[in-house]
């Protein structure tokens, strides 16, 4: 129902029989106006939120680790662990 034909909050109910099914409908123009208002507010808020999020988000590229650096760090860690184990075993 268009808003121009609003009946100032008068509820309306209808009952119909379709085959062996009873169909009950109910409307109220003031509720329809509220639904339209909430839908427009939701649309407005979503568009504002979307623009704020897109302004706040910054993309950061994550590069894979340098394989040479990983190898060197692994070698240093291995040497340190080996030295510590050797020192500990010599004390016994």
């Amino acid at each position: 129902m268009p808003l121009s034909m609003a009946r100032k909050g008068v509820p309306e109910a209808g009952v119909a029989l379709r085959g062996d099914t009873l169909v009950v409908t109910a409307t109220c123009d003031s509720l329809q106006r509220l639904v339209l208002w909430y839908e427009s507010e939701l649309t407005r808020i979503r568009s504002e939120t979307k623009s704020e999020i897109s302004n706040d988000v910054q993309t950061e590229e994550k590069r894979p680790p340098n394989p040479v650096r990983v190898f060197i760090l692994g070698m240093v860690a291995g040497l340190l662990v080996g030295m510590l184990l050797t020192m500990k075993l010599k004390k016994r």
Side-chain angles (χ1 to χ4, degrees), residues 37-55:
W37 182 79
Y38 281 122
E39 285 177 347
S40 66
E41 282 296 301
L42 181 61
T43 303
R44 181 185 63 79
I45 290 169
R46 279 185 178 160
S47 65
E48 285 178 4
T49 305
K50 190 174 184 179
S51 66
E52 287 174 8
I53 289 174
S54 64
N55 290 340

Side-chain angles (χ1 to χ4, degrees), residues 11-72:
E12 187 177 284
V15 179
L17 187 60
R18 293 186 187 151
D20 60 347
T21 305
L22 183 64
V23 178
V24 178
T25 58
T27 61
C28 183
D29 59 319
S30 61
L31 290 177
Q32 289 173 342
R33 280 191 300 255
L34 276 175
V35 167
L36 291 173
W37 182 79
Y38 281 122
E39 285 177 347
S40 66
E41 282 296 301
L42 181 61
T43 303
R44 181 185 63 79
I45 290 169
R46 279 185 178 160
S47 65
E48 285 178 4
T49 305
K50 190 174 184 179
S51 66
E52 287 174 8
I53 289 174
S54 64
N55 290 340
D56 291 343
V57 173
Q58 296 176 355
T59 57
E60 181 179 322
E61 291 184 26
K62 291 191 175 185
R63 294 181 286 169
N66 186 351
V68 174
R69 183 175 181 193
V70 171
F71 176 75
I72 292 173

